[in-house]
Amino acid sequence: MASLGGSVPMFRSLAPRFSKEFFTCRQCLGRGQTYATPSVFRKHFGAQPWAQRAENINSNAHNVRAKKFFTPAFTRSVSGSAVASAVEGGASKAKSSFPKVSEKSVAYWLLGSAASVFGIVVFGGLTRLTESGLSITEWRPVTGSLPPMNAEDWESEFAKYRASPEFQLLNPNMNLSEFKSIYYMEWIHRLWGRFIGLSFVFPALYFVAKKKVSKPMALRLAGIAGLIGFQGFIGWWMVKSGLKEDLFAQGSHPRVSQYRLTAHLAAAFVCYTAMLWNGLAILRSHRLLADPEAGTKVLDALRDPKLNIFRRSVAGLALLTFVTVMSGGLVAGLDAGLIYNEFPFMGNGLTPPKAELFDPRYSRHEDRSDLWWRNMLENPSLVQLDHRIMAMTTFTSIMALWAYTRRSPTMKRLLPPAAKKGVHGVVAFACVQVSLGISTLLYLVPLPLASAHQAGSLCLLTWVLVLGSRIWHPSRTAKLLQMAAKARGQAVSNAATQAARNL
């Protein structure tokens, strides 16, 4: 017996483990899981019917477990970033498909690219103001990336410039040292343009290949990349207009065509606008999807028809600002800022004489059918007057929009706080821009003021776009919020089902 007693623990450890339900009949097992003892019922429910007592116990147990299961942390995970992540990456089952929302890194990259375009626009204005744009007489996209490396190369480049009309008519006494200063200005401008192209195309290919952008955004990136390449072509097309005497008026100041200069500026502004707007749109989508309930409320408020007038006014203001900047491009191309350096008068009145504004010398048709539009685009006096009118119209429109937001009870009630701050920013930049424009005119277009005036135009357009991004109703993001709400409801339903199964 002693020997057997010592071996019992060994057999017990080797024996299979059974649960207590294995030794209970099914009837008792079912009764044990469904019902409680009579003493428990009498203690909690008194003399209730047996079936009613069992139902109450099951209901109470289910509520307790569900309450423990649906914690605040779970609610946050369902309604917050988890839903946004599901919408971004998990809405599409196939791994090879594009996400519904582009990643934030794409937005930061787009905004960085927009900042680079901003810088090159300002630097391009400096290149024009210093008359450096015609110093490089060839377009070599690849081999032109390096400047002359020795004295022989510098002499070769200088010889090409000496053959240009600008040297022969304006700078016949320029030496090699002075030529190097303007050459480096244009070389940096062109190198910066190549950098923008490469820093946009290759990251765009990476983001598309890694499926970090939505399908519509991938198409937009392709369009922006094409616009950057087209911008390089327009730049050379512009420079070419100042290298041949037959491309500008006989006996006039050697300069690039004001039409091509304006087209070059317009393409840069469109490229900048596309980068900025799409970057802001991506960040806004992430901000709304981070909290679907709050995001839905924000978009529902912006859907109010009473805000349509304000939205259309901001869109019209952006277009008006763009057109005003383009009229400034014509002023720069014709050096129209060097005449009538006074404000608000132009000579003896608010406008020059009509005979000067519509000079027949600018007409090229015998019937004078092109008299009015030729003078509007080629007559420096009328071009400056047009720019003044456009600038004051833009400024008046901005102040009217500000007064509308301050005086209208509807705007006070419906306009989001961020949009109200955006209006104040637009007003501030408009005042600064008008001050810079008048100062540039009064002081005969000095380099610092002229460059600041050009940068101010881009700042004003930037803030108008920021305001537009804050009050625009993005239909695609609204659909994603609906998907997020459905995903949240499905997650709650699945959690409730799982909790019931665990009872």
Side-chain angles (χ1 to χ4, degrees), residues 62 69-70 490-503:
H62 176 79
F69 188 80
F70 293 107
Q490 184 65 30
V492 172
S493 177
N494 293 339
T497 303
Q498 185 65 29
R501 289 178 180 175
N502 292 336
L503 292 179

Side-chain angles (χ1 to χ4, degrees), residues 86-110:
V87 173
E88 294 174 19
S92 182
K93 296 182 179 180
K95 293 183 179 180
S96 60
S97 61
F98 289 93
K100 295 297 182 182
V101 180
S102 302
E103 294 186 2
K104 284 187 177 181
S105 58
V106 179
Y108 297 138
W109 162 69
L110 281 172

Side-chain angles (χ1 to χ4, degrees), residues 272-322:
Y272 172 81
T273 300
M275 293 176 178
L276 178 67
W277 182 266
N278 286 289
L280 293 175
I282 294 174
L283 293 180
R284 190 188 187 201
S285 297
H286 279 275
R287 187 166 55 252
L288 292 173
L289 289 170
D291 189 348
E293 292 184 356
T296 301
K297 291 180 181 178
V298 171
L299 294 188
D300 287 343
L302 292 177
R303 199 176 295 171
D304 195 308
K306 296 179 181 179
L307 286 175
N308 289 337
I309 296 178
F310 184 82
R311 252 192 301 270
R312 292 168 184 168
S313 299
V314 174
L317 184 60
L319 180 61
L320 185 59
T321 303
F322 179 83

